[in-house]
């Protein structure tokens, strides 16, 4: 990899270098959200509640922060740890916020075409979503693929798109933007996120304990700080993946637990029935 191959600024990654394609994408996401009510349901369409608007805006802002200056240049031309921060924003921050910001009626209208709805229903099944996201996580940290993405901006963009889409599918059963009888219960959501917190520790440990550079592109990149060599950068990336991702997931688990506990305490009927068990199996697609 040639240093600064993707538009970095010669001599300083800190000089402001906005990415026009990122700004265009953000504009499309914001305009689409604001115009969707009129386009889908006409002038009398309901507007998303202020809370949902704030959540969606926060998700788009996370995408912007990960894809624009300074993380864009740092991650593609200098630091694998910056690359990992990007991935955290694209997978653990932006998708759940944007999903939570979409009102139910808007999603129902968007998923009304039968092929679209069928594809989303399949890809957001808990086991399918969990497996596909973690396979993508493992593959996107494979050294030949990382080096290939550093040499090709379009390919790098494609990798980020796949990460975001599979992450949105992974978060779907937790955020539950279209509540139904097949929705996971709070304890099942906590178990689901616990499983998600365990699987990425494998590639994270691989990065943290490697004693030599794994990625040729970052091994050839210029060093920004004395003593922060390529192996140290790699280990920091592994810690960001393991600790940063784990803290985010366990933070959500904690919120789910306290909400569920408060709801249980306020409910008089705590008797578990067979119907409850059947609904849980249905939500996990384990009932035949």
């Amino acid at each position: 990899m040639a240093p600064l191959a993707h538009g970095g600024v010669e001599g300083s990654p800190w000089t402001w270098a906005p990415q026009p394609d990122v700004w265009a994408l953000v504009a499309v996401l914001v305009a689409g959200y604001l115009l969707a009510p009129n386009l889908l349901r006409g002038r009398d369409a309901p507007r998303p509640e202020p809370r949902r608007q704030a959540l969606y805006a926060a998700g788009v802002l996370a995408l912007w922060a990960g894809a624009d200056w300074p993380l864009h240049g740092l991650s593609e031309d200098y630091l694998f740890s910056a690359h990992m921060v990007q991935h955290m924003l694209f997978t653990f921050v932006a998708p759940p916020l944007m999903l939570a910001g979409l009102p139910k009626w808007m999603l129902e209208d968007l998923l009304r075409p039968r092929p679209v709805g069928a594809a989303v229903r399949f890809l957001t099944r808990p086991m399918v979503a969990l497996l596909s996201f973690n396979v993508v996580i493992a593959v996107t940290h494979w050294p030949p693929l990382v080096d290939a993405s550093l040499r090709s901006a379009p390919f790098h963009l494609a990798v980020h798109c796949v990460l975001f889409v599979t992450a949105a599918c992974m978060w779907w059963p937790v955020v539950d933007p279209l509540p139904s009888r097949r929705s996971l219960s709070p304890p099942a959501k906590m178990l689901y996120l616990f499983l998600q917190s365990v699987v990425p520790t494998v590639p994270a440990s691989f990065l943290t304990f490697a004693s030599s550079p794994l990625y040729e592109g970052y091994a050839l990149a210029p060093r920004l700080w004395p003593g922060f060599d390529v192996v140290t950068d790699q280990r920091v990336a592994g810690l960001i993946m393991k600790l940063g991702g784990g803290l985010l997931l366990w933070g959500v688990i904690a919120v789910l637990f306290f909400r569920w506990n408060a709801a249980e305490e306020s409910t008089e009927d705590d008797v578990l029935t067979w119907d409850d068990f059947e609904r849980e199996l249905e939500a996990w697609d384990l009932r035949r």
Side-chain angles (χ1 to χ4, degrees), residues 192-203:
Y192 177 84
L193 288 177
F194 169 74
L195 294 174
Q196 177 53 50
S197 72
V198 170
V199 178
T201 59
V202 176

Side-chain angles (χ1 to χ4, degrees), residues 99 102 107 111 120-121 123-125 129 167-178 189 192:
L99 281 177
L102 295 174
L107 272 173
L111 301 181
V120 170
R121 282 193 296 273
L123 292 173
T124 57
R125 291 177 179 176
C169 292
M170 183 274 289
W171 281 105
W172 187 287
V174 178
V175 177
D176 204 10
L178 290 173
K189 290 180 181 180
Y192 177 84

Side-chain angles (χ1 to χ4, degrees), residues 25 90-91 136 154-168:
L25 173 62
F90 294 159
T91 57
V136 168
F155 182 61
H156 204 162
L157 174 62
V159 170
H160 284 170
C161 289
V162 171
L163 272 170
F164 179 84
V165 170
T166 53

